[in-house]
Amino acid sequence: MAGKASWKWVAVVVAYLDVAATTRVDPRVADVVLHWMTEDFGNAGSRTHEYGTRAKRAVQEARTFLAGTVGAKTEEVIFTSGATESNNIALLGMAPYGEKNQRRHIITSAIEHKAVIEPLVHLQSKGFEVDFLEPGLSGRIATEAVLEKLRPDTLMVSLMHVNNETGVIQPVAELAEELRGTPTYFHVDAAQGYGKLPEDLKAPIDMISISGHKVGAPKGVGALVTRRRGWDKTPLEPIMFGGGQERKLRPGTLPVPLIMGLYEAAKVFQEGQPRWEREALAMRERMLAALGKTRFHINGDADHSVPHILNVTFDGLNAEALIVRVKDQVAVATGSACTSASYTPSHVLTAMGLPDGVANNGLRFSWFPSQVADFDPEEFAATVVRMQPDAP
């Protein structure tokens, strides 16, 4: 008879600088999730008893709050398993409308997350034409570059809010204003920007994808905001079927504990956002001051970046070798968590036109101030100096 599986819990003391991949669940959030798993555990779709009523009421409260954080209406928020699913619903769900109305042109960028690029590549195989704009060395797509590509048959534009590898902020608020007077719909993957730059997402963006685990909520929950244009709904069709929950756009039993975790995390982050921004910026300044003793380059426009993501390449230094050297000191990444295990050049840095030696060795630091109190940038910089070859 097979023995029971067991877990061995080990305290991790390595400084965590990879919040762009995922964040630690806030203890207050964990308490809320546990409550809705073990106490108020009802199904929000059960209408015949108080357990279901309480769950339904709680989900509606969460929906209203999340809508408010982006200036949307309660009924414009649907819950999903995360930004990847939200992106797929937004992009693939628009396809039937585009086909019906002979609008098969889509504009996006070459630096999007794979959760946007791959659904769009799929649409290409179905006869859609997709323009993948390249940003240049800044890593920032110009609004004018998007507008120049607009055509009468342009169905939608999809542009991320904050790049997950460089931290560069894209001009989504400005672009939303420009597109609102056109028949072209605008989708924003806000996985990295939600909560951090709240005012940007209050612009008239038609569809916004949100991820919970980037702001201290559990993995496996997110949302898609689908704004109306006047009385007109965004013309999305479901890509899955089976129950019709979430206004028949996203089926499946609502994960009430995860939704309430997202709600709590959004509240906590909103309340602490000003302090978070100050402290994240202070950490960035400490990092840059320490790294000034090394030979390095920042990848992306530092003047248009979020305070908590920094992508650098160290002259003459292999990024993977550095990660191995500092693995007991700090947790960092070479790029997106979805692709960093493949040891392939960053598609983001490559699309920016950076040389192979730079694109192959970009190192991403991303932090929440509360999680890096024990990290010493000076010690890290000293390790880099020891590893870098002498300058020619």
Side-chain angles (χ1 to χ4, degrees):
M1 182 176 178
K4 292 183 178 180
S6 62
W7 292 94
K8 182 178 181 181
W9 304 105
V10 179
V12 178
V13 295
V14 175
Y16 185 71
L17 274 76
D18 197 21
V19 298
T22 195
T23 59
R24 180 176 61 195
V25 173
D26 187 284
R28 290 164 288 187
V29 174
D31 288 343
V32 168
V33 172
L34 184 61
H35 170 84
W36 288 95
M37 290 175 67
T38 60
E39 300 295 331
D40 280 319
F41 52 83
N43 186 327
S46 298
R47 302 176 183 274
T48 59
H49 49 69
E50 186 61 21
Y51 286 95
T53 299
R54 285 200 298 269
K56 180 181 179 182
R57 191 162 50 233
V59 167
Q60 192 69 355
E61 181 180 325
R63 198 188 308 275
T64 298
F65 179 84
L66 290 168
T69 63
V70 295
K73 298 176 182 177
T74 299
E75 64 271 16
E76 294 174 335
V77 175
I78 68 166
F79 291 109
T80 68
S81 62
T84 293
E85 184 186 359
S86 296
N87 290 339
N88 274 263
I89 295 172
L91 300 173
L92 301 182
M94 286 291 289
Y97 177 81
E99 291 169 335
K100 180 180 178 181
N101 292 277
Q102 300 300 310
R103 293 172 59 193
R104 294 186 173 89
H105 178 234
I106 300 170
I107 302 170
T108 189
S109 82
I111 59 171
E112 298 299 308
H113 192 278
K114 295 295 185 180
V116 165
I117 289 177
E118 292 186 6
L120 291 180
V121 169
H122 173 73
L123 288 181
Q124 280 184 310
S125 73
K126 301 298 182 180
F128 282 78
E129 182 182 348
V130 183
D131 279 322
F132 291 93
L133 304 181
E134 296 184 349
L137 295 177
S138 71
R140 183 174 163 90
I141 300 293
T143 299
E144 295 76 16
V146 175
L147 298 179
E148 287 173 3
K149 289 289 185 178
L150 282 181
R151 305 184 331 206
D153 65 336
T154 302
L155 172 63
M156 62 179 161
V157 172
S158 182
L159 189 65
M160 65 190 347
H161 186 196
V162 173
N163 185 265
N164 53 298
E165 293 192 28
T166 64
V168 172
I169 305 164
Q170 307 301 322
V172 296
E174 178 184 345
L175 189 54
E177 296 293 345
E178 294 286 347
L179 293 175
R180 197 60 170 176
T182 76
T184 298
Y185 290 92
F186 187 29
H187 165 251
V188 169
D189 177 358
Q192 294 293 342
Y194 177 74
K196 288 94 170 180
L197 304 167
E199 293 307 310
D200 280 1
L201 299 179
K202 292 179 181 178
I205 301 165
D206 297 298
M207 296 173 282
I208 302 173
S209 297
I210 294 170
S211 174
H213 74 105
K214 310 295 186 182
V215 288
K219 301 171 187 66
V221 66
L224 176 65
V225 178
T226 59
R227 278 196 179 90
R228 289 175 177 263
R229 290 189 171 191
W231 295 103
D232 297 329
K233 294 181 180 179
T234 304
L236 290 171
E237 295 288 341
I239 61 174
M240 297 186 296
F241 302 88
Q245 295 91 340
E246 295 301 88
R247 289 183 300 286
K248 300 183 179 180
L249 192 56
R250 197 272 183 177
T253 300
L254 289 175
V256 178
L258 296 181
I259 290 170
M260 298 309 290
L262 173 58
Y263 174 26
E264 182 69 16
K267 286 195 297 182
V268 168
F269 204 94
Q270 183 182 72
E271 292 166 2
Q273 193 275 341
R275 178 179 177 182
W276 170 87
E277 186 173 355
R278 289 194 305 271
E279 293 182 352
L281 199 54
M283 178 63 187
R284 185 184 188 90
E285 291 170 354
R286 285 180 59 208
M287 285 281 292
L288 291 174
L291 295 182
K293 299 174 183 178
T294 72
R295 301 192 309 281
F296 78 103
H297 306 278
I298 297 176
N299 299 320
D301 186 347
D303 293 330
H304 291 92
S305 296
V306 285
H308 70 296
I309 299 178
L310 179 66
N311 191 299
V312 304
T313 300
F314 296 102
D315 292 352
L317 197 56
N318 179 277
E320 297 293 342
L322 177 57
I323 288 175
V324 171
R325 177 70 68 89
V326 301
K327 64 182 178 66
D328 295 327
Q329 178 183 344
V330 59
V332 293
T334 54
S336 169
C338 298
T339 57
S340 62
S342 64
Y343 298 104
T344 57
S346 161
H347 78 278
V348 171
L349 301 186
T350 299
M352 288 166 57
L354 291 167
D356 289 346
V358 176
N360 292 349
N361 292 293
L363 198 63
R364 181 186 68 188
F365 301 88
S366 55
W367 57 87
F368 278 2
S370 61
Q371 297 179 20
V372 291
D374 297 330
F375 176 63
D376 185 355
E378 295 286 345
E379 182 182 350
F380 177 84
T383 300
V384 173
V385 170
R386 288 192 295 269
M387 292 183 66
Q388 278 186 310
D390 293 335

